[in-house]
Structures are given as C-alpha cells and as structure tokens.
Amino acid sequence: MTATSPGPIVLWLASRYENIELVQAALAHVCRQREIDGEMEHWIGMALREAVANAVKHGNRLDPDKRVLVKFDGVGNDLTIVIGDEGGGFDPERVSDPLAPENQMKTSGRGIFYIRTFMDDVSFSRGESGGTVLTMHKDLSKRGNAKGENE
Amino acid sequence: MTATSPGPIVLWLASRYENIELVQAALAHVCRQREIDGEMEHWIGMALREAVANAVKHGNRLDPDKRVLVKFDGVGNDLTIVIGDEGGGFDPERVSDPLAPENQMKTSGRGIFYIRTFMDDVSFSRGESGGTVLTMHKDLSKRGNAKGENE
Amino acid sequence: MNKNASVRKIGDITVVELKGKITIGAGDLQMREAIHAVLNEGARKIIVDMSGVSTIDSSGVGELVGCFTTSTHKGAKMKLMNLPAKISDVLTVTQLITVFDVFPNEAEAVASFAS
Amino acid sequence: MNKNASVRKIGDITVVELKGKITIGAGDLQMREAIHAVLNEGARKIIVDMSGVSTIDSSGVGELVGCFTTSTHKGAKMKLMNLPAKISDVLTVTQLITVFDVFPNEAEAVASFAS
Ligand SMILES: Nc1ncnc2c1ncn2[C@@H]1O[C@H](COP(=O)(O)OP(=O)(O)O)[C@@H](O)[C@H]1O
Ligand SMILES: Nc1ncnc2c1ncn2[C@@H]1O[C@H](COP(=O)(O)OP(=O)(O)O)[C@@H](O)[C@H]1O
C-alpha cells in the first residue's frame, strides 16, 4: 500500500439490477478517496454499470442466490476494478462487433464495447468456480481524456 | 430468501474511518430496498457507525492492511447486520457502564451502549481468526419506536 | 405511474420527455413503454426529449434503437432532441448518432417535421 | 480551514457554531480544535450552537464532554444551544443532557450568562 491507495474495497452482492446503484455509490466513495473528478467518474461508472449488469444478467442469470463480486483496488495512478460472477463463463473473443453494419440496429451487444471504450485496459478470465472475472484498469493520470480516446 | 429479502450485501473494507461513510451509503441502499424510513435508518446508522469505528479502532487498531467486514442480511421484519474485524477480540462483559456516576464525564466508553440502545438484539462472538464478530438485529416492525425504547 | 417519462403535444407532434437514468431494469423499460404507448395511440411524429436524462447504459441505448425500429415499422418518425453532452458521447462512440435524427433544440426538431 | 466549526461573538460571549458530522476521525477533532482555540484566546463564556449538526457519534459526544471539562478547568463556562432532536436524544440516553447547560435558543442561552 502506498499513500495514494486507500486500500481495497470489496463488495459481494445478490444478483439484482438495483444493486448496481450501490456499486455506483461505492465508486463515488472511491473517487472521493482517490480524488478522481466527476467527468472521469462518469465514464468509469458507465463501464462499471455495464460490467455489473453483465454479471447479473448473463453470468448469474438473475439468480438472486448467486453473488456478484466487485473489488476496487490499485495504487497511485492505477484504479483497478474487478467484477466477478458465479455464472458459466463465456468466450469474449466470440462477442460480435457492435460497429459492424449488420449489428448497428441490434438492440443489444454494446456493453463490452462501452467497457473497452471507457476503460484503459480490460481483460476477462475464468474464476475458480468457472464464472467470469473481468478486470479493468483506469489510468488516473489521463484526466481530461476521460473517455479513453487515443487523441 | 423471501420476497421481502433482497439478499445479503457484504463489504470488506480497509481499516479507515473514512470508510464509515461508505458503510452509511450501503445502509441507505439497504433501507431503500427494505423500505426502512429515515427515522429508523438514522438510529441503525448510529449503531452501525459505532460498530465499524470500534472494528477499525479497537479491533484492527487502524492497521490499513486489516479488513473490516460488514454484512447486511435478514428476511421479513428482521434486519441483521454483522460487523467483523481482524483484531484480538475482547470481553464485552468487562466493558464499563457509561451511566455509572464515575464514568459520566469520561471522554470514551459510550459506543457499545449506543449500539445496544439503538438496536434490538446485539451479541458479540469470536471470529475464526480471533477477531470480534458483532451481530446486531433490528426489528423492522417496530417503526415509530426507532430508538429501541421499551415504551 | 411512469416516473422516467412524460408526454406532451405540439400540434400533431408528440414529445416524449425522458428523465433520470435510462438504465437496465427500470428506466429502459419505462422508456419503451412510454414510446410504445404513444405509437399505439397513433402518434406518427415523435420527438424524444433527452434533456433530463442523466445516464444511459447499453440497455437504454438498445431500447432506444428498438423504439426507433418499431417506429419506422409503424410508419412513424422518431427523432431525438436536447442531448446532454454525455448522452451524445455514448451514442457517438457506437456510431448511432448518425442513425438517429438528432436536433439541438425543440425549434429545429419541430421544424424538421414541416419540410 | 475548519469546515465543521465557525466562531462568532455576542459581546463577551463566544459562539462556536458546529456543522455537519461530529464523528470519529474528522468532525470530532475539528470541534475540539475550535473550542480549544477559543479557550486559548481567552474566551470564558462559550455557547456551542448545535443547530447545524446532522450526526454525532460516541467520539463526538466524548469530545464534547472533554471540551466541557477543559472549559471548567480553565474557569470558563461552556453551554449548548439549538440541539436538533436527534442530537438531544443521543445526549439524553447517556444521561449527559443534564450535565451540560442546554438552551433551546440563543436568547435564553445569552441571558443565562447575565444571571
Ligand atoms: N459475465 C458474463 N457471463 C457470461 N456471458 C457474458 C458475460 N458478459 C458478457 N457476456 C456475453 O457477451 C455478450 C455481449 O455482452 P455485451 O457486449 O455486454 O452486450 P449485451 O449484454 O447487450 O448482450 C452477451 O450477450 C453475453 O453472451
Ligand atoms: N471490535 C473491538 N475489538 C476489540 N475491543 C473492542 C472492540 N469493540 C469494543 N472494544 C472494547 O470495548 C471498549 C468499549 O467500547 P465502546 O463502548 O465502543 O467505547 P469506546 O470505543 O469509546 O472506548 C473499548 O474501549 C475496547 O476496549
């Protein structure tokens, strides 16, 4: 731990969409601790909401007895957020591109794209019990470039 | 789980007083889910703040690498909150009575008394690793009698 | 009933005002209900006023696309106006901003139905 | 500097207005600092205005007791006024409400120093 890390914050939540609001409140707390401005908080929040929604919906399939893990961590200019579920996992390589013309008018399929757009580094792995573990990083030094655009 | 329980919410937090604010935000979320009014929320919040402050201060002795656990649970009219720390434990029987005349002007020693006053049932036990586990219950049917007075 | 959407009329144009979070499990469904309701009542010129929307997620965006498609199928036109910058950004990165007819204000949105 | 406390004067009376959360690790320490500061500057008639206090915990209550004792030792009188109901309840259950001189409003608190 360094002076710039207030230590990890971990939440275990029942699989309910309404708990996304609590995750958002936890992010607000972390952003106060880490002095992350409102603009950047907004885009991290967008990615986080998508990630938790996916864990609840696709991972745990809304089974309220299955849990979603959310962990905030990282030191210095790195904010790390891990989202875990107790679902069956999936292959992120096989997710279709929402920018492809044939997908443009689809009513779904944009969540992971938003996560990748608004965070700086995103990776998926399998948890011990087979569920999905999504690890995403935000580089806090890139303030004023909060959307994660390259220029 | 019944329709009146939104499922448990668990937080693991570094031992920092500022994290009490996050616990308070989590309580606000639970109170919205469980339809607990602002008056009752205030008194539960008071007990909860004391419990987390004790876990941070006396239990984990402000060691930021030690964690405080906060769990919200319970079904129907029972709200159960468990607060755990990684400290050395203590004997709650040996805590002095803050109402005794010789303690009245002391600058400390009222926290557990407030917890017992504002909650309906409070018990201390030892966790697996020796820390304190405080389990407190609030009877949500007693609205309008939020301070936990007997009449 | 529907705390995320309300409806008003400007001549034969129906304005659906969205408010708050158009997000999964609540605001997204209320938006769909509101827009489907005006379509079922015969509205054929629809402007969705986004000025009060604080957050939209991929579910909200998906529902918006779905409402646009449903409108087109029913022979109605659905346009958007008053997009807060963040909402506009969310539509831009998924290249939807060009799919929707988007207007900066009510005057321009209303005028677009006259031409 | 001290966002939980500000000071004003009424003649030779010093009013310390507390605001927000008088709770562990922040507001409690700021309250102590503020009251010790006015004591060190020679204040002997002190009224603590609690109207802006939203929450107090056992640490805040403990510091309040400590400030009361320190005041007495320095030959000063510290009184409380404008207690919100919840703050008054917190002091009442630990039987401290009778220890402190508590007044419902400024007029009565100020007048009490004249007698
Ligand atoms: N946590 C998860 N567990 C299982 N499958 C997932 C998970 N997250 C995403 N997926 C899969 O990836 C697909 C794309 O997800 P996403 O881009 O968020 O769009 P959407 O949620 O609208 O389908 C989902 O339809 C689902 O099949
Ligand atoms: N989680 C804990 N771990 C270890 N000791 C504790 C814990 N909680 C309370 N105590 C002990 O009980 C005493 C009384 O606690 P409390 O009534 O909250 O008053 P205070 O915190 O002001 O001392 C503490 O001084 C401490 O010795």
Side-chain angles (χ1 to χ4, degrees):
Chain A
M1 278 228 336
T2 74
T4 52
S5 167
I9 286 179
V10 177
L11 289 82
W12 276 100
L13 306 165
S15 299
R16 298 168 70 94
Y17 293 136
E18 67 196 46
N19 283 334
I20 296 174
E21 301 311 320
L22 176 55
V23 175
Q24 187 91 51
L27 174 66
H29 179 79
V30 169
C31 288
R32 261 194 309 275
Q33 284 184 326
R34 305 283 298 263
E35 296 179 0
I36 296 168
D37 63 33
E39 181 72 14
M40 191 176 254
E41 176 181 338
H42 183 87
W43 300 113
I44 299 169
M46 172 117 199
L48 182 53
R49 297 181 76 98
E50 297 294 341
V52 177
N54 278 351
V56 168
K57 184 180 185 178
H58 302 301
N60 293 346
R61 295 173 186 270
L62 287 156
D63 178 346
D65 290 333
K66 289 192 170 160
R67 304 279 162 258
V68 174
L69 164 92
V70 180
K71 178 175 175 179
F72 299 89
D73 206 350
V75 297
N77 273 324
D78 170 52
L79 173 69
T80 304
I81 308 180
V82 178
I83 297 94
D85 63 51
E86 304 184 312
F90 75 110
D91 181 355
E93 301 283 305
R94 298 189 51 186
V95 168
S96 56
D97 175 10
L99 301 189
E102 69 273 20
N103 296 327
Q104 196 172 31
M105 297 309 288
K106 287 208 174 144
T107 59
S108 64
R110 296 178 185 86
I112 291 173
F113 179 84
Y114 282 133
I115 294 170
R116 292 195 193 277
T117 301
F118 298 129
M119 298 299 283
D120 290 307
D121 188 65
V122 175
S123 64
F124 292 87
S125 63
R126 285 292 177 96
E128 283 168 33
S129 54
T132 299
V133 177
L134 163 51
T135 304
M136 50 194 205
H137 295 269
K138 188 77 184 174
D139 179 349
L140 304 182
S141 70
K142 290 195 193 168
R143 287 156 216 252
N145 186 17
K147 272 173 279 167
E149 291 152 3
N150 289 320
E151 47 218 314
Chain B
M1 283 232 333
T2 75
T4 52
S5 166
I9 285 178
V10 177
L11 288 82
W12 277 99
L13 306 166
S15 300
R16 299 169 71 96
Y17 293 136
E18 67 194 47
N19 283 333
I20 297 174
E21 301 310 321
L22 176 55
V23 176
Q24 188 90 49
L27 173 66
H29 180 79
V30 169
C31 287
R32 260 194 309 277
Q33 285 185 325
R34 305 283 297 263
E35 294 180 1
I36 296 168
D37 63 33
E39 181 73 14
M40 191 175 256
E41 176 181 339
H42 183 87
W43 299 115
I44 298 169
M46 172 113 199
L48 183 54
R49 297 181 77 95
E50 298 293 341
V52 177
N54 279 352
V56 169
K57 184 181 185 176
H58 302 301
N60 292 345
R61 294 173 186 269
L62 287 156
D63 178 346
D65 291 333
K66 289 191 171 161
R67 304 279 161 257
V68 174
L69 165 92
V70 180
K71 178 176 177 178
F72 299 89
D73 207 351
V75 298
N77 274 323
D78 170 51
L79 173 69
T80 304
I81 308 179
V82 177
I83 297 93
D85 63 51
E86 305 183 312
F90 76 111
D91 181 356
E93 302 283 305
R94 299 190 52 188
V95 168
S96 56
D97 176 10
L99 301 189
E102 70 273 20
N103 295 328
Q104 198 173 28
M105 297 308 288
K106 287 211 173 137
T107 59
S108 65
R110 296 177 185 87
I112 292 172
F113 179 85
Y114 282 133
I115 294 170
R116 293 194 193 276
T117 302
F118 298 129
M119 298 299 281
D120 290 308
D121 188 65
V122 175
S123 63
F124 292 87
S125 63
R126 285 290 177 98
E128 283 168 32
S129 54
T132 299
V133 177
L134 163 52
T135 303
M136 52 194 205
H137 295 270
K138 189 76 187 176
D139 180 350
L140 304 181
S141 70
K142 290 193 192 169
R143 286 155 216 254
N145 186 17
K147 272 174 278 171
E149 290 151 6
N150 289 320
E151 48 217 311
Chain C
M1 279 299 301
N2 194 324
K3 72 181 179 57
N4 285 78
S6 58
V7 174
R8 61 186 166 91
K9 286 274 191 178
I10 306 176
D12 62 345
I13 299 171
T14 304
V15 179
V16 179
E17 286 178 26
L18 301 180
K19 281 187 288 288
K21 292 180 168 170
I22 308 300
T23 53
I24 196 164
D28 60 341
L29 306 176
Q30 293 180 349
M31 176 182 70
R32 179 171 58 186
E33 265 173 39
I35 293 174
H36 281 210
V38 301
L39 281 170
N40 289 339
E41 287 160 11
R44 290 298 171 262
K45 298 176 180 177
I46 300 171
I47 304 174
V48 181
D49 184 348
M50 309 284 284
S51 58
V53 177
S54 58
T55 311
I56 193 164
D57 65 3
S58 68
S59 292
V61 170
E63 289 294 348
L64 207 56
V65 172
C67 288
F68 181 85
T69 304
T70 306
S71 297
T72 306
H73 286 168
K74 296 217 177 199
K77 273 210 176 309
M78 183 186 116
K79 307 187 178 199
L80 307 183
M81 71 175 180
N82 298 335
L83 270 65
K86 289 191 173 65
I87 308 304
S88 170
D89 287 342
V90 168
L91 295 181
T92 302
V93 295
T94 40
Q95 299 176 5
L96 286 167
I97 201 87
T98 51
V99 168
F100 296 115
D101 257 350
V102 178
F103 297 92
N105 55 53
E106 187 167 296
E108 291 186 40
V110 169
S112 74
F113 278 111
S115 57
Chain D
M1 280 302 298
N2 194 325
K3 71 181 180 60
N4 286 80
S6 59
V7 175
R8 61 187 166 90
K9 286 272 191 180
I10 306 176
D12 63 345
I13 298 171
T14 303
V15 179
V16 179
E17 287 180 24
L18 301 181
K19 281 187 290 288
K21 293 179 169 170
I22 307 300
T23 53
I24 196 164
D28 60 342
L29 305 176
Q30 293 181 349
M31 176 182 69
R32 179 172 59 186
E33 264 172 41
I35 293 173
H36 282 211
V38 301
L39 280 170
N40 289 340
E41 287 160 11
R44 290 300 170 260
K45 299 176 179 177
I46 300 169
I47 304 175
V48 182
D49 184 349
M50 309 283 284
S51 57
V53 177
S54 59
T55 311
I56 194 164
D57 66 3
S58 68
S59 292
V61 169
E63 288 295 347
L64 207 57
V65 172
C67 289
F68 182 85
T69 304
T70 305
S71 298
T72 307
H73 287 168
K74 296 216 176 199
K77 274 207 175 311
M78 182 186 116
K79 309 188 177 198
L80 307 183
M81 70 175 183
N82 298 335
L83 271 64
K86 290 191 172 66
I87 308 303
S88 171
D89 287 343
V90 168
L91 295 180
T92 301
V93 295
T94 40
Q95 299 177 4
L96 286 168
I97 201 87
T98 52
V99 168
F100 296 115
D101 258 349
V102 178
F103 297 91
N105 55 55
E106 186 168 298
E108 291 185 42
V110 169
S112 75
F113 278 111
S115 58

